[in-house]
Amino acid sequence: MGNLREGLRWLDQAKADLKTARDCLKDRNFYASAFFSQQAAEKALKGLLYSKGYRAIITHSVTDLLEECSKHHNAFSSYIDYGKELDRHYIGARYPNFYPEGPAYRYYTEGMAKKCVSYAESILKEVERYLKR
């Protein structure tokens, strides 16, 4: 049995994370924008899975979550490449030792952040299509 209420709770947080990603992009905090984009997509997908009755979801991988969601709605399989891009920023955006030299934020550009925000927006819209039915 599904849990729509829990799914919508996760979607609500995903929307807040997407707003934060947009705000960070506007403020030129590109590394943070990429990270919060990943978080928005992850939480939206988890919301969909909770609404389908999942009880525990331990992965933080957007790619893995998209693959799982595609078992319920095939449309999510077309976002796998978005997930692969967003997953790069879950750790890479936060830890200075991820890159060979210097802090992580120096490796992020406006173009990267815009792409991440766009990918997260697309995933959230797709999740909303199924949670709002």
Side-chain angles (χ1 to χ4, degrees), residues 52-64:
K52 296 291 182 190
Y54 286 62
R55 291 180 176 251
I57 306 165
I58 27 182
T59 187
H60 297 285
S61 169
V62 174
T63 305
D64 290 348

Side-chain angles (χ1 to χ4, degrees), residues 15-83:
K15 289 178 181 179
D17 286 350
L18 184 57
K19 181 191 179 308
T20 300
R22 289 178 182 136
D23 291 346
C24 288
L25 176 59
K26 189 171 71 174
D27 291 340
R28 304 188 61 76
N29 292 319
F30 304 132
Y31 76 101
S33 179
F35 172 70
F36 277 102
S37 294
Q38 186 278 341
Q39 288 291 281
E42 177 187 337
K43 290 171 188 166
L45 293 164
K46 285 182 175 182
L48 179 62
L49 292 173
Y50 283 125
S51 78
K52 296 291 182 190
Y54 286 62
R55 291 180 176 251
I57 306 165
I58 27 182
T59 187
H60 297 285
S61 169
V62 174
T63 305
D64 290 348
L65 292 166
L66 284 163
E67 289 172 352
E68 194 64 27
C69 287
S70 70
K71 294 176 183 176
H72 301 280
H73 305 288
N74 193 44
F76 288 99
S77 61
S78 64
Y79 296 100
I80 298 293
D81 286 344
Y82 290 8

Side-chain angles (χ1 to χ4, degrees), residues 60-121:
H60 297 285
S61 169
V62 174
T63 305
D64 290 348
L65 292 166
L66 284 163
E67 289 172 352
E68 194 64 27
C69 287
S70 70
K71 294 176 183 176
H72 301 280
H73 305 288
N74 193 44
F76 288 99
S77 61
S78 64
Y79 296 100
I80 298 293
D81 286 344
Y82 290 8
K84 290 177 181 178
E85 178 62 34
L86 290 169
D87 282 343
R88 291 183 178 109
H89 308 291
Y90 176 66
I91 294 173
R94 299 180 295 143
Y95 294 99
N97 63 344
F98 186 80
Y99 295 97
E101 186 175 315
Y105 77 88
R106 289 183 41 218
Y107 290 84
Y108 283 82
T109 65
E110 183 175 12
M112 292 167 73
K114 283 181 175 179
K115 180 168 48 171
C116 289
V117 168
S118 173
Y119 288 177
E121 287 171 341

